[in-house]
Amino acid sequence: MSSEVDAQLDEMRKNGWESYVFGPRDDPNAVGLAYRWKTCADVLVLHAEDDATAYRMPLGQDADLFAPRIVSWHYHAPAEWTIRALLSLPRPGAPDAPLAMLTPPPDCAVPAQLRRTMTIRPNPRRAHVST
């Protein structure tokens, strides 16, 4: 990843984002980050520097961060632009926060076969709620 993307990811982790590594740690198939609000989560999935997806999804009892059934916002572009778009989203409950309930496109999920080996790094700065 570029130094700009690495700096963005480091800043996200410092600000309470949970980290997920799909596949071997030294050669992951994808990397995910999630920030849990009270009623929703913002999620980032990085497949490559030029292939990243972000979305906001409602949280519920059976919510799966990496296989959402519904989203209120989604974005797919190179990693740097996707991270910028995600971090510029208004906080949930803000007047201009996304509220629509949309069926997510296929790129808003990490395929089950990629999730068989997963490393979760909860952020110690935030209380962790299991997925």
Side-chain angles (χ1 to χ4, degrees):
M1 294 282 167
S2 73
S3 59
E4 175 65 26
V5 171
D6 285 337
Q8 289 172 314
L9 296 174
D10 286 343
E11 191 64 28
M12 291 171 77
R13 288 182 194 105
K14 287 178 189 173
N15 288 322
W17 289 71
E18 304 164 1
S19 299
Y20 300 79
V21 177
F22 303 100
R25 282 195 215 169
D26 57 344
D27 188 22
N29 299 310
V31 173
L33 282 93
Y35 189 91
R36 296 171 194 260
W37 301 92
K38 201 173 219 176
T39 59
C40 63
D42 291 339
V43 179
L44 171 68
V45 179
L46 301 168
H47 295 283
E49 192 157 355
D50 64 345
D51 183 11
T53 299
Y55 48 92
R56 178 170 284 170
M57 60 174 283
L59 288 176
Q61 291 287 56
D62 58 349
D64 183 337
L65 291 176
F66 299 103
R69 283 186 264 151
I70 197 163
V71 298
S72 59
W73 173 90
H74 61 86
Y75 188 88
H76 185 87
E80 184 175 347
W81 291 105
T82 301
I83 294 168
R84 287 181 184 184
L86 178 60
L87 295 178
S88 67
L89 266 181
R91 296 174 67 91
D96 50 350
L99 294 174
M101 290 297 131
L102 311 166
T103 300
D107 57 9
C108 284
V110 177
Q113 68 270 20
L114 295 183
R115 297 199 283 159
R116 289 195 181 116
T117 304
M118 178 172 50
T119 303
I120 302 171
R121 294 185 187 126
N123 195 298
R125 294 188 175 114
R126 294 181 50 92
H128 179 69
V129 180
S130 61
T131 57

